[in-house]
Every structure is written in structure tokens, then in C-alpha cells.
Amino acid sequence: MALFKKRTVGKPGEWYYCLEHKKVEEGPDCPGKDRFGPYTSRAEAERAMESARERNLQWENDPRWHDAPAPGRTDQD
């Protein structure tokens, strides 16, 4: 008997993009650490990597995420 069982999270009808297998899966096939989701549709899950790239680009260009102080502000403010 295994001491620890491999547990997955999810339900049939929820769609995920598996980062390990590079494919869309329905329900709790792979561990949560290896997937994006849940998504409400297969089509939405198929766009997971594109959506992640778009969000990353937005975050990289968001001035609130940069370490430099805003113009006119000092570290003592």
C-alpha cells in the first residue's frame, strides 16, 4: 500500500491545459502543479499559453511592477 497517494484536483466538465503533456485535458487527469485552469470550455483551455503570454507582457509593461520609484517620489515618501 502506498503511503502517499497522487491526488489531483478538478472535476469532469472543467478544462485544463497540461504543461507537461502540452495538451488540453478534461477533469482531474494531471496534478495541479502541472496545469493551467480550470477553464469553462475546451477552446479557452486551448488558448492557455497565449493568454499567459499576453498577461505576462501586460505585467512586464505595467509601471506598478517596476522597482524604480515613480517620478517625483523619493524612497522616504
Side-chain angles (χ1 to χ4, degrees), residues 22 30 48 55:
K22 311 272 190 274
C30 292
R55 275 194 311 272

Side-chain angles (χ1 to χ4, degrees), residues 34-62:
D34 293 331
R35 63 185 182 193
F36 286 158
Y39 297 98
T40 57
S41 69
R42 180 178 188 91
E44 191 178 358
E46 288 171 345
R47 284 195 73 246
M49 295 304 293
E50 184 178 337
S51 297
R53 276 191 295 276
E54 290 169 359
R55 275 194 311 272
N56 287 345
L57 186 59
Q58 288 173 349
W59 291 337
E60 289 170 6
N61 293 315
D62 188 334

Side-chain angles (χ1 to χ4, degrees), residues 19 45 48 52 64 71 76:
L19 299 167
R64 294 175 295 173
Q76 289 109 14

Side-chain angles (χ1 to χ4, degrees), residues 19-32:
L19 299 167
E20 187 170 325
H21 298 114
K22 311 272 190 274
K23 67 176 189 164
V24 173
E25 300 174 344
E26 182 182 13
D29 289 344
C30 292

